[in-house]
Amino acid sequence: ADGTAVKVYSEKPPCVTATIQVTPDDGADPADTAEALFDVLGTVPGVVRAAFNAKTRSLEVGFCESSATEDSIRRTLVPTGLVSPTE
């Protein structure tokens, strides 16, 4: 395993993919981090798949822009404490 956790929400192919940097606490369990991110992403309409890479600390989100934007996805993730608000 290359340290990537993947969650598929829909069989539809994503229209767009965004990569969001994640800032887990040092020593945080990557599986817990992935689960926390995936739980929140599951509430976002338009998100079709997500992949969290613990090594690069990046979350790749595949979505369709009719329902979601990178900005709306990021805003939804900020309360987890794992994603910084955009500057």
Side-chain angles (χ1 to χ4, degrees):
D2 63 353
T4 302
V6 177
K7 174 86 174 174
V8 177
Y9 300 94
S10 162
E11 292 308 308
K12 288 190 311 196
C15 313
V16 191
T17 303
T19 302
I20 297 172
Q21 280 309 119
V22 179
T23 51
D25 293 332
D26 289 335
D29 182 340
D32 291 345
T33 301
E35 200 169 303
L37 294 166
F38 293 164
D39 282 353
V40 174
L41 287 172
T43 68
V44 182
V47 172
V48 293
R49 72 182 298 278
F52 171 63
N53 184 316
K55 283 204 182 83
T56 60
R57 294 183 165 198
S58 63
L59 175 69
E60 197 175 88
V61 185
F63 60 98
C64 285
E65 284 184 305
S66 56
S67 321
T69 63
E70 181 173 351
D71 207 47
S72 70
I73 291 168
R74 185 183 289 275
R75 278 200 306 272
T76 308
L77 290 168
V78 167
T80 62
L82 296 165
V83 173
S84 307
T86 358
E87 296 309 316

